[in-house]
Amino acid sequence: MSLAIRNIAIIAHVDHGKTTLVDKMMHQSRLFRENQEVGELILDNNDLERERGITILAKNVSVQWKGIKVNIIDTPGHADFGGEVERVLNMADGVILLVDAFEGPMPQTRFVLQKALSLGKKAIVVINKVDKPNCDPDKTHDEIFDLFFNLGATEEQLDFTTVYGSGKQGWFGPEWSKPTEDLTYLMDTILEVIPEPVVEEGSIQMQVTSLDYSSYTGRIAIGRLKRGSIRENMPVSLVKRDGKVEKHRIKELYVFSGLGRTRVEEVHAGDICAVTGLENFEIGDTMADLEKPEALPALKIDEPTMSMLFAINNSPFFGKEGKHVTSQKVRERLMKEMEKNLALRVEETNSADQFLVYGRGVMHLGVLVETMRREGYELQVGQPRVILKEIDGVKSEPVEVLTVDVPEHHSGKVIEQVSQRKGEMVSMLPKGDMVRLEFEIPSRGLIGLRNNLLTATQGEAIMAHRLKGYEPWKGAMPTRINGVLISKDKGAATGYSMDKLKDRGGFFIHPGTEVYTGMIVGEHIKPGDLVINLCTAKQLTNFRAAGKDDNAMLAPPREFTLEEAMEYIQEDEYVEVTPESLRIRKILLDENDRKRASSKSAGA
């Protein structure tokens, strides 16, 4: 039986236009009414994705083209969300590799392509944004061929089809110099090149590759049916990752159509479907035959490279802004996140109020904290740390490949900044009026690097990185040089005090902000921390001063985003995160406690 289905995943480096391309494919297949208001970047549908302009979660949509159903999976481009890419590639039979005509293949293009090729997927290369000035699509095509070759592609994979065009202008065709009218050529190429799902003989098998939740039906398992066909109300076995087998009954069956799901009575092998009725399943479990269950091989997910301490908020301001402040609530939320976020691990610590969370990078952990914050949680997070391993008796740390695109006259500053953090330059190539620098740098060297590079290059550096592997420990690395300004009292900061203390450093707060003892309010201009009193108001007396009153002239404060704050703090500091505010504080709020702790550590 020939199946009129194609399953395809779109992979690319961040910002190369994946989600825009999916938009155009949906418009091309007449998914919306002529007068329907749909906006742009339809699939980036949660607030965080819209604000950051990136895809965080992989999503499914399906379109009809010439009577054939095309299931499209939009994947994230950031290496921090590689766990998402790895599991959804199992659902696809082929991939569209999208590459920016100007930037060419970037580190994360390499990362996701390697995963796809190793799974034996067939690729269509789409060179996007050919309308950009200074771009060279032919050179980009050659670079992509070299990349396929270097990643060990087979003869068949090397013989890929290339499509040129501009997602923004809504056209794709066989030649970049001759714009076409629409996406017809691309859609036809998908039907031609991407193979139909291979249907094996045998009993039913479906691996759960993602989760959804409905307040009516509970948890929903999403995956691609590999063998057999399933019907509503059918009894099935669920084979867990550890080999245990449980019996369940399918309640409802859905397939993807357009942006939503359609309920059906039966699903045949090769299609991507959503199933309700399975209890306490996890990603990677296999739904199989009731009598003779056969499990599919478990999903392999790369190890986390970074850890961070999550603690409940115990600052003097706790509970003022958030709904969920207890350790029980934070623990429940982290455990729930672990079910669907495969690259994340959570460990309990000796203290009931603290948890160690392991993830792929600062951004991966930052998105989790930001999501929790928006859900009304209050918590504190410690300094991100890389995970060290002992390999053949040698202490080893994760090393990343870092690429920085920067105007040539700033390249010296970039090399200097990266070298200070034990980075070694591998190559330097001209790219239009920019230079592309490639380095190998320890993962811990990346913490806080983006900010420094943007400052040094007047905001012109574009950086991207991917994990290379573990290498022997590279030695100590310089940390933040300047100390911080710490509040002595609790109260509202006054403009009068801040004006008198402004020569001691730069502030992170506005006048009138509520502060507490031990809260970090600014950066000292010298090494070493300084405790200051910001709550003194001007003494009002009957006496007229001979001179005029001072007008407080304050520079605007430095305001941090969540990730910048996480990268800024040292090991004796926390970022306090609440739905309304971000504050940086010392772990030990009392000055005497800090002195005792430092003299103890010095004595030890």
Side-chain angles (χ1 to χ4, degrees):
M1 180 183 96
S2 168
L3 274 177
I5 293 178
R6 300 288 186 276
N7 297 318
I8 188 158
I10 299 189
I11 57 176
H13 180 79
V14 65
D15 250 359
H16 279 198
K18 289 181 298 298
T19 308
T20 306
L21 177 66
V22 178
D23 285 3
K24 297 293 186 229
M25 288 165 91
M26 290 193 281
H27 284 291
Q28 180 73 36
S29 54
R30 305 267 186 286
L31 192 60
F32 308 112
R33 294 191 316 275
E34 291 296 324
N35 60 350
Q36 193 171 346
E37 287 279 328
V38 286
E40 290 182 339
L41 303 180
I42 304 158
L43 285 193
D44 282 351
N45 52 9
N46 73 29
D47 294 345
L48 258 181
E49 291 182 318
R50 286 195 169 278
E51 282 169 28
R52 290 167 182 250
I54 60 170
T55 303
I56 294 169
L57 301 168
K59 304 180 192 63
N60 302 38
V61 290
S62 85
V63 296
Q64 293 281 345
W65 185 254
K66 298 193 173 167
I68 292 178
K69 178 179 178 184
V70 182
N71 285 316
I72 306 166
I73 307 157
D74 183 17
T75 63
H78 267 282
D80 279 25
F81 308 112
E84 288 282 316
V85 180
E86 286 162 36
R87 61 187 173 80
V88 297
L89 281 177
N90 282 324
M91 294 200 276
D93 295 301
V95 294
I96 287 184
L97 175 70
L98 195 67
V99 182
D100 184 308
F102 177 72
E103 292 189 345
M106 295 286 279
Q108 279 137 31
T109 317
R110 186 189 182 97
F111 171 81
V112 283
L113 181 62
Q114 197 166 10
K115 300 279 176 208
L117 293 178
S118 63
L119 290 167
K121 307 293 181 197
K122 189 136 190 195
I124 296 174
V125 172
V126 176
I127 296 180
N128 190 20
K129 307 191 185 181
V130 296
D131 51 330
K132 265 192 171 180
N134 297 337
C135 72
D136 188 343
D138 294 328
K139 185 166 177 268
T140 302
H141 179 270
D142 296 343
E143 287 173 357
I144 296 168
F145 185 85
D146 294 344
L147 177 63
F148 269 75
F149 184 76
N150 294 340
L151 293 176
T154 61
E155 288 289 323
E156 193 190 354
Q157 286 171 329
L158 278 172
D159 187 21
F160 54 80
T161 308
T162 309
V163 179
Y164 299 90
S166 162
K168 201 170 181 183
Q169 295 182 357
W171 67 268
F172 284 95
E175 292 179 44
W176 63 272
S177 51
K178 296 178 185 165
T180 57
E181 295 298 311
D182 53 17
L183 271 71
T184 306
Y185 181 79
L186 174 63
M187 300 300 284
D188 290 345
T189 307
I190 291 173
L191 301 192
E192 239 171 81
V193 175
I194 302 299
E196 292 179 351
V198 178
V199 178
E200 298 171 23
E201 292 301 312
S203 58
I204 63 165
Q205 266 189 330
M206 181 186 106
Q207 190 157 40
V208 179
T209 43
S210 65
L211 295 177
D212 206 347
Y213 183 79
S214 150
S215 46
Y216 298 107
T217 53
R219 293 169 74 215
I220 301 167
I222 298 171
R224 175 176 151 187
L225 189 59
K226 198 161 187 237
R227 299 194 315 212
S229 57
I230 50 177
R231 295 176 306 284
E232 285 194 350
N233 231 3
M234 180 178 177
V236 291
S237 297
L238 185 68
V239 187
K240 309 285 283 181
R241 274 193 275 183
D242 55 7
K244 271 194 209 148
V245 180
E246 297 176 359
K247 306 292 183 206
H248 295 283
R249 188 177 288 278
I250 293 171
K251 282 186 189 158
E252 294 171 3
L253 270 179
Y254 296 89
V255 292
F256 289 88
S257 70
L259 286 167
R261 300 193 195 115
T262 307
R263 189 168 171 181
V264 290
E265 287 184 5
E266 191 172 11
V267 174
H268 299 287
D271 207 349
I272 296 172
C273 61
V275 180
T276 66
L278 306 181
E279 299 290 319
N280 54 41
F281 60 85
E282 289 173 358
I283 287 176
D285 293 352
T286 307
M287 188 174 81
D289 187 60
L290 185 69
E291 302 301 326
K292 291 186 190 162
E294 293 174 44
L296 284 160
L299 290 173
K300 278 195 174 70
I301 296 291
D302 286 357
E303 291 286 300
T305 57
M306 224 162 240
S307 72
M308 207 161 76
L309 189 72
F310 279 51
I312 62 162
N313 187 6
N314 60 3
S315 83
F317 291 171
F318 88 100
K320 284 188 175 181
E321 295 165 4
K323 289 185 296 194
H324 310 300
V325 293
T326 61
S327 58
Q328 179 66 25
K329 286 281 188 195
V330 172
R331 183 179 181 282
E332 276 173 18
R333 178 67 181 81
L334 289 174
M335 294 306 167
K336 190 175 148 197
E337 185 68 26
M338 238 183 11
E339 287 179 358
K340 62 175 188 288
N341 196 334
L342 283 197
L344 198 78
R345 287 215 317 272
V346 180
E347 272 180 23
E348 312 254 349
T349 60
N350 306 335
S351 157
D353 298 341
Q354 297 183 337
F355 308 92
L356 261 180
V357 180
Y358 297 88
R360 278 280 180 86
V362 173
M363 190 175 207
H364 185 206
L365 294 165
V367 164
L368 169 62
V369 176
E370 184 65 47
T371 310
M372 288 175 69
R373 170 189 186 183
R374 289 172 185 223
E375 290 169 7
Y377 287 83
E378 279 194 15
L379 63 151
Q380 296 182 136
V381 293
Q383 186 185 26
R385 298 184 182 183
V386 297
I387 298 169
L388 305 177
K389 285 184 180 175
E390 195 158 300
I391 300 170
D392 303 331
V394 180
K395 179 175 160 188
S396 303
E397 63 174 333
V399 172
E400 313 238 357
V401 174
L402 167 74
T403 32
V404 184
D405 287 352
V406 68
E408 195 169 353
H409 58 277
H410 286 311
S411 57
K413 294 174 189 165
V414 173
I415 295 166
E416 182 190 350
Q417 289 276 355
V418 179
S419 308
Q420 282 173 0
R421 293 163 175 258
K422 309 281 183 201
E424 293 170 16
M425 190 155 84
V426 182
S427 71
M428 182 173 182
L429 298 166
K431 190 91 184 156
D433 52 356
M434 310 274 270
V435 177
R436 174 166 294 175
L437 306 166
E438 193 167 302
F439 303 92
E440 288 182 3
I441 182 172
S443 292
R444 58 200 166 104
L446 290 172
I447 298 175
L449 177 65
R450 187 181 300 269
N451 260 2
N452 293 1
L453 283 191
L454 288 174
T455 309
T457 62
Q458 296 165 357
E460 294 202 61
I462 301 166
M463 63 181 265
H465 54 89
R466 68 178 173 85
L467 184 66
K468 181 187 173 209
Y470 274 78
E471 290 183 9
W473 175 258
K474 302 270 196 275
M477 202 175 282
T479 53
R480 190 178 73 204
I481 299 162
N482 292 3
V484 287
L485 303 176
I486 306 165
S487 172
K488 183 180 181 185
D489 284 332
K490 185 176 174 184
T494 62
Y496 173 77
S497 292
M498 289 173 75
D499 187 49
K500 295 281 180 265
L501 292 163
K502 67 185 177 192
D503 56 344
R504 295 306 180 96
F507 289 110
F508 301 159
I509 59 167
H510 290 274
T513 306
E514 290 288 328
V515 297
Y516 55 79
T517 310
M519 180 170 149
I520 294 171
V521 291
E523 185 174 289
H524 195 191
I525 53 169
K526 297 178 185 168
D529 297 342
L530 182 69
V531 179
I532 57 174
N533 185 354
L534 286 185
C535 303
T536 314
K538 186 173 183 199
Q539 296 301 317
L540 298 177
T541 65
N542 295 351
F543 292 105
R544 246 337 127 69
K548 61 177 177 37
D549 283 349
D550 292 352
N551 279 337
M553 293 285 286
L554 290 171
R558 175 175 168 190
E559 296 188 29
F560 290 99
T561 63
L562 176 63
E563 266 126 53
E564 286 167 0
M566 281 159 51
E567 292 180 338
Y568 182 78
I569 57 173
Q570 299 293 301
E571 57 190 354
D572 64 336
E573 294 161 8
Y574 276 153
V575 180
E576 179 189 344
V577 183
T578 72
E580 310 285 323
S581 329
L582 282 178
R583 303 183 189 95
I584 304 177
R585 53 162 282 188
K586 287 288 182 187
I587 293 177
L588 298 171
L589 295 177
D590 186 66
E591 189 181 357
N592 298 322
D593 292 347
R594 288 198 296 275
K595 282 180 180 160
R596 267 195 293 275
S598 66
S599 59
K600 254 188 206 169
S601 63

